[in-house]
Structure formats: structure tokens, C-alpha cells
Amino acid sequence: MINMPIIKFEKSVNYLTNQLEVQENNKQLLLDITANLQLMSNSYANDKNLSDLLNNANNLLQDISTNITTIEKSELEISNITNELSNLLNDKNRTSKTKEYYIIAFSNIKNSIVSYTNSFLELQKKLEKDN
């Protein structure tokens, strides 16, 4: 029963791990391209196309950095939900807790899961679009 939350989030965790790797690879590639563009722009100081490319690359880098931060936040949310549920299920003082306590605690966890699911779906759509 304790491993249940981990199993439920396994696909989500795998997806986030994969996407984090994709975003970090994209970021590194874009940093390499940007460095080359900057070298070229130093040689061709008045080249508007290079300047536009550099601006576009910097905007993409910002988007990728935001994606990485959002993915890491999502991973933290999963970890927090899993820990809350595990702590609740492993509570040694179960007999001293009231029925109302458990109703509220599970309700809070459910609300966290709903919130996470909504933000995950939004993130997934954004990553599909960005990739």
C-alpha cells in the first residue's frame, strides 16, 4: 500500500525526467549556437540577420530555462505529495487521530493531486508545443 503513490506517479515521473533531459540538451545546443552567433556577430557588427538570430536564440533560451524550472517544480510537487501520503499511511499514532483528521488529511492530499494534475497537463501541452 505504501508504494501505491509512487506507482501512480511513475509515468508522470518518467515523463518529467525525460523532458528535463530533453530541455537540458536543447539548452546546451542553443548555448553552443548562441556562442557561435556571438563570435560571428563580432566579425559582422552591422549584420541585422545575425542580431535577429541572436535575439531569437536568447528568447528560446529563456523559454527552455522556464521549462526546466517548471519541470523541477513538478518533480518536487510529486515528491511532496508522495511524502505526505507515505507519512499519513506510516503514522505510528494512528489510534490517537480522529476520523475527521484523516478525512481532512486525505482531502488535502486529493486537492494537491488535482492541482498537480492540472499543472502537469498544462506543462505537457507547453512542452509538446515547444519541442
Side-chain angles (χ1 to χ4, degrees), residues 1-31:
M1 185 79 165
I2 293 172
N3 290 335
M4 192 171 88
I6 295 168
I7 292 170
K8 293 288 184 191
F9 289 122
E10 186 175 359
K11 285 183 181 179
S12 184
V13 168
N14 290 342
Y15 176 81
L16 291 173
T17 300
N18 180 282
Q19 286 301 310
L20 184 59
E21 185 177 320
V22 167
Q23 294 297 309
E24 287 173 344
N25 288 339
N26 288 346
K27 182 178 180 179
Q28 190 55 54
L29 288 171
L30 209 46
L31 285 171

Side-chain angles (χ1 to χ4, degrees), residues 23-35 38 54-68:
Q23 294 297 309
E24 287 173 344
N25 288 339
N26 288 346
K27 182 178 180 179
Q28 190 55 54
L29 288 171
L30 209 46
L31 285 171
D32 293 343
I33 291 168
T34 303
Q38 286 175 335
L54 205 51
N55 286 335
N56 287 338
N58 285 329
N59 288 336
L60 286 172
L61 277 172
Q62 182 60 45
D63 285 346
I64 290 170
S65 294
T66 300
N67 288 344
I68 289 170

Side-chain angles (χ1 to χ4, degrees), residues 16 65-75 77 119 123:
L16 291 173
S65 294
T66 300
N67 288 344
I68 289 170
T69 301
T70 305
I71 290 168
E72 290 170 340
K73 180 181 174 257
S74 293
E75 289 176 328
E77 283 181 71
S119 64
L123 174 62

Side-chain angles (χ1 to χ4, degrees), residues 69-106:
T69 301
T70 305
I71 290 168
E72 290 170 340
K73 180 181 174 257
S74 293
E75 289 176 328
L76 184 62
E77 283 181 71
I78 290 172
S79 178
N80 288 340
I81 291 168
T82 302
N83 287 339
E84 283 179 47
L85 191 51
S86 294
N87 289 341
L88 192 60
L89 294 173
N90 290 328
D91 190 354
K92 303 287 187 230
N93 299 320
R94 275 191 218 173
T95 55
S96 67
K97 308 287 186 195
T98 65
K99 183 178 178 180
E100 289 77 19
Y101 168 82
Y102 284 104
I103 290 171
I104 291 169
F106 280 111

